[in-house]
Amino acid sequence: VCRSIIRGLITCLHYWFSDFLRNLLKDEKPLTITISYGIICFTGPFGGIIANSLLKPFFGSYESRKSSFPLIVLQIIASIFAIAIGLMRTLISICAVTILFLIFNSSVIALVQGILISCVDKNLSATGFAFANACTQILTAGPTPMIYGMINDKFKDAYPWLAMLIIMSLNLLAVPLLIFLAILRNQKFDEMKNEKEKELIEINADKNKNDEYKS
């Protein structure tokens, strides 16, 4: 569900971003808006690649235990920048917060996708990935652009920023889901650790018995 929210809102952002700029910044030339959007599309994901490389030594890989709670922090930061998109009033400020949102959002998507892959049995990985994509299309990628359009059609003359603010605020819904994920995931790691410790104790006990028998 968290992945669906994140990917779905990215779809909505790219679908409506140029229209949002035209409605909000009526004095800006179409060419300026097009160039700005092109810069965002390039620098946002590219910045995400750099951010992932810099953060990986601190957070570890998606298979590690310590990646769960930093993921929550990254999503909170991404949500703050997402909401800020609808609060900015100049082209430069909008582009800046959008790029920062895409950078942190890329880091979140990479970790979430990795955790999804690691949590599913290898024999079910293809089915799991297809199911995740289907959920994204059904829950957010399809409905959110439509909901944005409905809000925008009704309020764009008086409040051209309202639709973007409402839709991008949905990023916060992923935060409690990631907290729930971190708790369950850490419990699973604890269970696996306890099982390994029991196995080692049993192995050592069997070894001691064999040594005593030989003696």
Side-chain angles (χ1 to χ4, degrees):
V1 174
C2 178
R3 179 188 183 275
S4 299
I5 292 171
I6 297 169
R7 295 299 295 251
L9 293 181
I10 282 291
T11 301
C12 182
L13 176 68
H14 283 292
Y15 190 88
W16 285 105
F17 191 74
S18 296
D19 183 77
F20 165 70
L21 291 179
R22 286 194 297 269
N23 291 333
L24 186 66
L25 309 172
K26 295 180 172 58
D27 296 333
E28 291 292 345
K29 297 179 180 179
L31 180 60
T32 304
I33 292 175
T34 302
I35 293 173
S36 301
Y37 179 66
I39 293 171
I40 289 170
C41 289
F42 174 76
T43 55
F46 185 74
I49 295 172
I50 298 174
N52 287 334
S53 301
L54 295 175
L55 295 174
K56 190 173 182 179
F58 300 98
F59 297 163
S61 66
Y62 56 81
E63 295 179 344
S64 67
R65 176 186 182 131
K66 65 180 182 179
S67 64
S68 299
F69 286 103
L71 177 59
I72 300 169
V73 176
L74 288 173
Q75 178 59 25
I76 292 173
I77 297 172
S79 298
I80 292 172
F81 286 123
I83 295 170
I85 295 172
L87 299 176
M88 298 296 106
R89 295 294 178 266
T90 64
L91 181 63
I92 294 176
S93 61
I94 292 171
C95 290
V97 295
T98 303
I99 291 170
L100 289 170
F101 162 67
L102 291 174
I103 289 173
F104 285 97
N105 189 75
S106 297
S107 300
V108 171
I109 288 176
L111 282 173
V112 169
Q113 187 62 55
I115 290 172
L116 279 173
I117 293 172
S118 65
C119 289
V120 178
D121 188 275
K122 290 183 179 179
N123 295 325
L124 299 173
S125 58
T127 304
F129 186 74
F131 181 76
N133 284 335
C135 287
T136 301
Q137 295 297 324
I138 294 170
L139 294 176
T140 52
T144 48
M146 181 182 66
I147 295 171
Y148 181 102
M150 292 170 62
I151 298 172
N152 191 50
D153 285 345
K154 190 170 184 179
F155 297 102
K156 66 180 179 181
D157 293 331
Y159 309 103
W161 45 267
L162 184 61
M164 183 64 72
L165 180 63
I166 292 174
I167 291 298
M168 297 310 292
S169 295
L170 295 177
N171 266 281
L172 288 172
L173 294 178
V175 174
L177 294 173
L178 289 177
I179 293 173
F180 189 50
L181 165 69
I183 293 171
L184 291 179
R185 194 162 181 255
N186 285 354
Q187 287 178 352
K188 186 66 176 177
F189 275 112
D190 290 336
E191 291 174 3
M192 293 169 63
K193 183 180 179 181
N194 292 334
E195 288 176 2
K196 287 181 180 179
E197 289 177 352
K198 288 180 181 179
E199 289 177 1
L200 289 173
I201 292 172
E202 291 175 358
I203 291 171
N204 289 330
D206 291 339
K207 184 179 180 181
N208 291 333
K209 286 181 180 179
N210 290 332
D211 292 341
E212 290 176 0
Y213 177 76
K214 289 178 182 179
S215 298

